[in-house]
Amino acid sequence: MKKYRSVWVLIISMFFMASAYTMLIPFLPLYLLELGVSQARVHLWTGLVFSSAFFVAGIMGPVWGKMADTRGKKRMAVRAAFLIGCSYFLGGIVHNEWQLLGMRIFQGFANGLVAASMAIISSTVEEKALGTYLGFAQTSIILGGICGPFMGGVLSHLIGMRDSFFVAALFLWLVTAAIVIFVREPAHAPWKTSQEGSIVDDLRYARSNRLMFEFLMAYFVLQGTIMMIQPVVTLYIGELQHSMSNVAVTAGTIMSCGGIAGALTTTFWGRLGQKKGYYRAICMTISGAGLGMLIQSIPDSIFWFGVCQAMVSCFIVGANPSLNAALVKCTPESFRGRAFGLSNTAQQMGSMIGPLLSAGITEFMPIYMVYILAGIVLLYLAWRMYQAHLHSVSL
């Protein structure tokens, strides 16, 4: 549909963004070794390199969100795509771990492409189709996450890890050009407050808007729970197969199959939210993912673990599109950029906290306890969202 051309360009752009990210970031520990970091220190530097970007992105989220509402969402999308491309280019010319850390900090500063894109989509698409198109956007990110590691492995083999960064930079600069040429941003009236929309005032508004605050907490808890699991998946699979031999291949296969299962069900959850209510979809997806994670702590074979992983993926991918659609419905249109900026901050902070919790748990308890705690947290979150639904307008 011609009037949704901007939406489809952004959806495709998010696929390339996710592909560029996942074709490089999972391999950063290998790149650190290539840069000369010792085996004994690679875990420390991996933690620093990963968490630094999340921390800075979390701080900058409200700033970029405010600028999206005051200076234009398209402008912020172009800014983010171009600067993220620059960060990948810098990643290809670094020579030591400190420079790589600086690159990741800059990448966290540049973050905001998904938030700006979601804000444009939510302002362009008619309300009756919002859940479906946000589902398409989430599917594109998932598919990018599936294709990225495969492309990264092939490129690393063919041209080396360093040159792969330049390919990722090219992806993002092509995305920048596509957004500049093809994306049109709907006009809107500026959102006003007694303090002319200062960042502090934005935070106060978010806190006073009970629904919005509940959704931001859900973003934080959901992302933190996901990131609790990610650092231990490979180690847990190694325990289940009683060997670390070829564990990377096994883990990659299981995660890819789970990603495919999730991609196939994302639009279903978006349509369910449109027809039955976004709160219902949120509660169903989060509780289903929680139950799946609890079950994942039980299997004693790789096959059943993979089945459980597919089940978790089928549910958990439906949470974000429903949360995004519900967030749109409880905020003014001209506050959209800030709303998605704050949701981005909540997710980035969850991404930073999750691995720290996982490390603390595995220091004193078996790995399966991470899955048990993650399942309990998600079930509690689903109950909180259900309670919020009982005291809110219908969503």
Side-chain angles (χ1 to χ4, degrees), residues 28-296:
L28 283 182
L30 301 178
Y31 196 41
L32 285 165
L33 292 171
E34 187 178 313
L35 292 173
V37 176
S38 67
Q39 189 74 45
R41 301 188 68 199
V42 72
H43 294 294
L44 170 65
W45 276 101
T46 297
L48 289 173
V49 166
F50 269 79
S51 61
S52 59
F54 294 136
F55 179 70
V56 176
I59 292 175
M60 293 304 300
V63 177
W64 298 136
K66 177 178 175 59
M67 292 181 68
D69 284 329
T70 57
R71 301 191 181 183
K73 299 176 183 65
K74 176 180 174 179
R75 185 176 295 182
M76 288 301 103
V78 170
R79 173 206 60 77
F82 178 74
L83 291 182
I84 293 172
C86 290
S87 74
Y88 287 133
F89 180 83
L90 292 174
I93 62 175
V94 301
H95 293 288
N96 57 53
E97 61 271 30
W98 288 101
Q99 292 175 355
L100 185 64
L101 177 63
M103 182 277 284
R104 283 287 287 164
I105 291 172
F106 176 70
Q107 194 169 69
F109 171 82
N111 188 270
L113 177 57
V114 171
S117 298
M118 290 294 191
I120 295 173
I121 291 171
S122 69
S123 298
T124 304
V125 176
E126 297 173 357
E127 184 175 328
K128 64 181 181 181
L130 185 59
T132 298
Y133 279 90
L134 290 176
F136 287 148
Q138 187 69 24
T139 300
S140 74
I141 294 173
I142 293 169
L143 291 175
I146 294 170
C147 297
F150 175 75
M151 290 191 292
V154 172
L155 286 173
S156 180
H157 177 73
L158 294 177
I159 62 177
M161 185 76 184
R162 185 176 294 274
D163 288 339
S164 297
F165 277 91
F166 299 134
V167 175
L170 179 61
F171 277 10
L172 268 297
W173 288 334
L174 289 174
V175 166
T176 304
I179 294 173
V180 169
I181 296 170
F182 298 112
V183 172
R184 297 290 179 267
E185 178 183 355
H188 68 271
W191 185 76
K192 301 254 183 211
T193 71
S194 58
Q195 298 182 27
E196 294 299 320
S198 68
I199 291 177
V200 172
D201 194 41
D202 296 342
L203 294 172
R204 286 176 179 164
Y205 173 78
R207 183 65 184 89
S208 66
N209 185 329
R210 189 171 184 272
L211 287 177
M212 183 178 180
F213 184 74
E214 288 283 349
F215 295 141
L216 292 177
M217 290 303 298
Y219 281 113
F220 171 77
V221 174
L222 183 64
Q223 188 66 20
T225 305
I226 293 171
M227 294 303 293
M228 279 175 61
I229 297 298
Q230 285 194 0
V232 301
V233 170
T234 304
L235 296 176
Y236 191 36
I237 290 174
E239 286 187 4
L240 291 174
Q241 68 180 17
H242 308 293
S243 169
M244 295 301 289
S245 176
N246 295 321
V247 69
V249 175
T250 305
T253 302
I254 290 174
M255 297 304 289
S256 293
C257 290
I260 292 170
L264 293 174
T265 56
T266 305
T267 53
F268 164 77
W269 293 116
R271 290 193 177 101
L272 179 71
Q274 285 177 189
K275 294 178 180 178
K276 304 295 185 180
Y278 293 115
Y279 256 122
R280 181 173 295 183
I282 291 168
C283 293
M284 289 177 64
T285 53
I286 294 176
S287 58
L291 286 172
M293 286 189 180
L294 286 176
I295 297 172
Q296 273 189 299

